[in-house]
Coordinates of all heavy atoms in Angstrom, one line a residue:
M154 N 24.7 -12.7 3.8 CA 24.5 -12.8 2.4 C 23.8 -11.5 1.9 O 22.9 -11.0 2.6 CB 23.6 -14.0 2.1 CG 23.2 -14.1 0.6 SD 22.1 -15.6 0.4 CE 21.8 -15.4 -1.4
V155 N 24.2 -11.0 0.7 CA 23.6 -9.9 0.1 C 23.1 -10.2 -1.3 O 23.8 -10.8 -2.1 CB 24.6 -8.7 0.0 CG1 24.0 -7.5 -0.7 CG2 25.2 -8.3 1.4
A156 N 21.8 -9.9 -1.5 CA 21.2 -10.2 -2.8 C 21.0 -8.9 -3.6 O 20.9 -7.8 -3.0 CB 19.9 -10.9 -2.6
S157 N 21.0 -9.0 -4.9 CA 20.9 -7.8 -5.7 C 19.4 -7.6 -6.2 O 19.1 -6.5 -6.7 CB 21.8 -7.9 -6.9 OG 21.5 -9.0 -7.7
S158 N 18.6 -8.6 -6.1 CA 17.2 -8.4 -6.6 C 16.2 -8.8 -5.5 O 16.6 -9.4 -4.5 CB 17.0 -9.3 -7.8 OG 17.2 -10.6 -7.6
L159 N 14.9 -8.5 -5.7 CA 13.9 -8.7 -4.7 C 13.7 -10.2 -4.4 O 14.1 -10.7 -3.3 CB 12.6 -8.0 -5.1 CG 12.6 -6.5 -5.1 CD1 11.3 -5.9 -5.5 CD2 13.1 -5.9 -3.8
G160 N 13.2 -10.9 -5.3 CA 13.0 -12.3 -5.2 C 12.4 -12.8 -3.9 O 12.7 -13.8 -3.3
S161 N 11.4 -12.0 -3.4 CA 10.8 -12.2 -2.1 C 9.4 -11.7 -2.1 O 9.2 -10.6 -2.6 CB 11.6 -11.6 -0.9 OG 11.0 -11.8 0.3
S162 N 8.4 -12.4 -1.5 CA 7.1 -11.9 -1.5 C 6.9 -10.8 -0.5 O 5.9 -10.0 -0.5 CB 6.1 -13.0 -1.3 OG 6.3 -13.6 0.0
T163 N 7.8 -10.7 0.5 CA 7.8 -9.7 1.5 C 9.1 -9.0 1.6 O 10.2 -9.6 1.7 CB 7.4 -10.3 2.9 OG1 6.1 -10.9 2.9 CG2 7.4 -9.2 4.0
V164 N 9.1 -7.7 1.6 CA 10.3 -6.9 1.7 C 10.2 -5.9 2.8 O 9.2 -5.3 3.0 CB 10.6 -6.1 0.4 CG1 11.8 -5.2 0.5 CG2 10.7 -7.1 -0.8
A165 N 11.2 -5.9 3.7 CA 11.2 -5.0 4.9 C 12.2 -3.8 4.6 O 13.4 -4.1 4.3 CB 11.6 -5.7 6.1
V166 N 11.7 -2.6 4.8 CA 12.6 -1.4 4.6 C 12.7 -0.7 5.9 O 11.7 -0.5 6.6 CB 12.0 -0.5 3.5 CG1 12.8 0.8 3.4 CG2 11.8 -1.2 2.2
G167 N 14.0 -0.4 6.2 CA 14.2 0.5 7.4 C 14.7 1.8 7.0 O 15.6 2.0 6.1
W168 N 14.0 2.9 7.5 CA 14.3 4.3 7.2 C 14.7 5.1 8.4 O 13.8 5.3 9.2 CB 13.2 4.9 6.4 CG 13.3 6.3 6.0 CD1 14.5 7.1 6.0 CD2 12.3 7.2 5.6 NE1 14.3 8.4 5.6 CE2 12.9 8.5 5.4 CE3 10.9 7.1 5.4 CZ2 12.2 9.6 5.0 CZ3 10.2 8.2 5.0 CH2 10.8 9.4 4.8
D169 N 15.9 5.4 8.6 CA 16.3 6.3 9.7 C 16.3 7.7 9.0 O 17.0 8.0 8.1 CB 17.7 6.0 10.2 CG 18.1 6.8 11.4 OD1 17.4 6.8 12.4 OD2 19.2 7.5 11.3
V170 N 15.4 8.6 9.6 CA 15.1 9.9 8.9 C 16.0 11.0 9.3 O 16.3 11.2 10.5 CB 13.6 10.3 9.2 CG1 13.2 11.5 8.5 CG2 12.7 9.1 9.0
G171 N 16.5 11.7 8.2 CA 17.3 12.9 8.4 C 16.4 14.1 8.3 O 15.2 14.0 7.8
G172 N 16.9 15.3 8.6 CA 16.1 16.5 8.4 C 15.9 16.8 6.9 O 16.4 16.2 6.0
W173 N 15.0 17.8 6.7 CA 14.7 18.2 5.3 C 15.9 18.6 4.5 O 16.1 18.4 3.3 CB 13.7 19.3 5.3 CG 12.3 18.9 5.6 CD1 11.6 19.1 6.7 CD2 11.4 18.3 4.7 NE1 10.3 18.6 6.6 CE2 10.1 18.1 5.3 CE3 11.5 17.8 3.3 CZ2 9.1 17.5 4.7 CZ3 10.4 17.2 2.7 CH2 9.2 17.0 3.4
N174 N 16.9 19.3 5.2 CA 18.1 19.8 4.6 C 19.3 19.1 5.1 O 20.3 19.8 5.5 CB 18.1 21.3 4.7 CG 16.9 22.0 4.2 OD1 16.5 21.9 3.1 ND2 16.2 22.7 5.1
C175 N 19.3 17.8 5.1 CA 20.4 17.1 5.7 C 21.6 16.7 4.8 O 22.5 16.0 5.1 CB 19.9 15.8 6.4 SG 19.3 14.6 5.2
D176 N 21.6 17.3 3.6 CA 22.6 16.9 2.5 C 24.0 17.0 3.1 O 24.8 16.1 2.7 CB 22.5 17.9 1.3 CG 21.1 17.9 0.8 OD1 20.2 18.5 1.4 OD2 20.8 17.4 -0.3
N177 N 24.3 18.0 3.8 CA 25.7 18.2 4.3 C 25.9 18.0 5.8 O 26.9 18.4 6.4 CB 26.2 19.6 3.9 CG 26.2 19.8 2.4 OD1 26.7 19.0 1.6 ND2 25.7 20.9 2.0
N178 N 24.9 17.3 6.4 CA 25.0 17.0 7.8 C 25.7 15.7 8.1 O 25.2 14.7 7.7 CB 23.5 17.0 8.4 CG 23.5 16.9 9.9 OD1 24.5 16.4 10.5 ND2 22.4 17.3 10.5
T179 N 26.9 15.8 8.6 CA 27.7 14.6 8.8 C 27.2 13.7 9.9 O 27.4 12.5 9.9 CB 29.2 15.0 9.1 OG1 29.2 15.8 10.3 CG2 29.8 15.8 7.9
K180 N 26.4 14.3 10.8 CA 25.9 13.5 12.0 C 24.6 12.8 11.7 O 24.3 11.8 12.3 CB 25.8 14.5 13.2 CG 27.1 15.0 13.7 CD 26.9 15.9 14.9 CE 28.2 16.4 15.4 NZ 28.0 17.3 16.7
S181 N 23.7 13.4 10.9 CA 22.4 12.8 10.7 C 21.9 13.0 9.3 O 21.7 14.2 8.9 CB 21.4 13.4 11.7 OG 20.1 12.9 11.5
R182 N 21.6 11.9 8.6 CA 21.0 12.0 7.2 C 20.0 10.8 7.1 O 20.0 10.0 8.0 CB 22.1 11.8 6.2 CG 23.1 13.0 6.1 CD 24.2 12.7 5.0 NE 25.2 13.8 5.0 CZ 26.3 13.7 4.4 NH1 26.6 12.6 3.7 NH2 27.2 14.6 4.5
D183 N 19.3 10.8 6.1 CA 18.4 9.7 5.8 C 19.3 8.5 5.6 O 20.4 8.6 4.9 CB 17.6 9.9 4.5 CG 16.5 11.0 4.7 OD1 15.7 10.9 5.7 OD2 16.6 12.0 3.9
A184 N 18.9 7.3 6.1 CA 19.6 6.1 5.8 C 18.6 5.0 5.5 O 17.5 5.0 6.1 CB 20.5 5.7 7.0
L185 N 18.9 4.1 4.6 CA 18.0 3.0 4.2 C 18.7 1.7 4.2 O 19.8 1.5 3.8 CB 17.5 3.3 2.7 CG 16.8 4.6 2.5 CD1 16.6 4.8 1.0 CD2 15.4 4.5 3.1
I186 N 17.9 0.7 4.7 CA 18.3 -0.7 4.6 C 17.1 -1.5 4.1 O 16.0 -1.3 4.6 CB 18.8 -1.3 6.0 CG1 20.0 -0.5 6.5 CG2 19.0 -2.8 5.9 CD1 21.3 -0.9 5.7
V187 N 17.3 -2.5 3.3 CA 16.3 -3.3 2.8 C 16.6 -4.8 3.0 O 17.7 -5.3 2.8 CB 16.0 -3.1 1.3 CG1 14.8 -3.9 0.8 CG2 15.8 -1.6 1.0

């Protein structure tokens, strides 16, 4: 199930970190899941 709004008292964010200049790096960029 995917929701479009928070509707929760606790929210978990996952951040896989890319380099400072990862804009065009096909192998590694910042990624986010909530």
Side-chain angles (χ1 to χ4, degrees):
M154 177 180 177
V155 178
S157 62
S158 60
L159 293 180
S161 175
S162 60
T163 298
V164 177
V166 178
W168 176 17
D169 186 56
V170 184
W173 282 105
N174 303 302
C175 65
D176 306 71
N177 298 313
N178 187 334
T179 58
K180 294 182 178 181
S181 176
R182 295 179 186 167
D183 293 303
L185 300 168
I186 296 291
V187 184

